[in-house]
Amino acid sequence: MDVFIGYAGLQLLDGLERGAKGVLPGCSLTEIFVKIFIYYISGNIDQAYKIYMDLVPVLNFIFQSIEMIIKCEKTILASRGIIKTAYCRAESYKLDEHFERELNYYMRRINKYLYKFKYKIN
């Protein structure tokens, strides 16, 4: 049986080192996970870890609760222009100014790994 890493990919490289075959991340930063995975399977472990270590603070920050991760995923997708709005039905988590500053700080660290769309909360 093949094993995939869940938990937003927070333990991705540890899982790959132990034989996992992939990851089940959120959808807002998929291409970063693809880059890490490609570097890892091609034997460029140092580059995989470099990108992963830039990604971990973002994952750690947004993965404080299920409501927070859903809101953050949608906020990141909307900010990147991938979806039109960050609307969540029956929303129970709102982003305040402090949170937006923190998320912007962490996302600036990984912008260089994103494809066409760059992240910026208005």
Side-chain angles (χ1 to χ4, degrees), residues 9 19 21 29 40-41 44 50 55 57 65 71 74 83 97 103 108-109 121-122:
K21 300 298 181 190
L29 303 170
Y40 182 85
I41 64 172
N44 193 340
K50 180 184 181 306
L55 178 61
S65 73
K71 182 62 178 177
K74 289 192 171 201
I83 61 175
E97 290 178 24
L103 188 57
R108 278 193 306 271
R109 295 182 61 182
I121 293 179
N122 295 331

Side-chain angles (χ1 to χ4, degrees), residues 63-96:
F63 202 58
Q64 296 179 44
S65 73
I66 193 65
E67 292 85 10
M68 189 171 173
I69 201 167
I70 290 168
K71 182 62 178 177
C72 289
E73 284 285 324
K74 289 192 171 201
T75 298
I76 293 168
L77 287 166
S79 297
R80 295 182 65 200
I82 296 170
I83 61 175
K84 289 184 180 185
T85 73
Y87 171 79
C88 293
R89 65 178 176 216
E91 186 175 336
S92 64
Y93 189 87
K94 303 238 187 263
L95 304 182
D96 61 20

Side-chain angles (χ1 to χ4, degrees), residues 5 7-8 10 14 19-20 28 34 40-41 45-46 53 58 72 74 80 89 91-92 94 102 104 109 112 117 120-121:
I5 301 302
Y7 209 64
L10 208 48
D14 181 53
S28 64
V34 170
Y40 182 85
I41 64 172
I45 307 301
D46 288 341
M53 295 310 290
V58 176
C72 289
K74 289 192 171 201
R80 295 182 65 200
R89 65 178 176 216
E91 186 175 336
S92 64
K94 303 238 187 263
E102 288 286 310
N104 270 319
R109 295 182 61 182
K112 60 189 167 201
F117 301 103
K120 177 82 168 100
I121 293 179

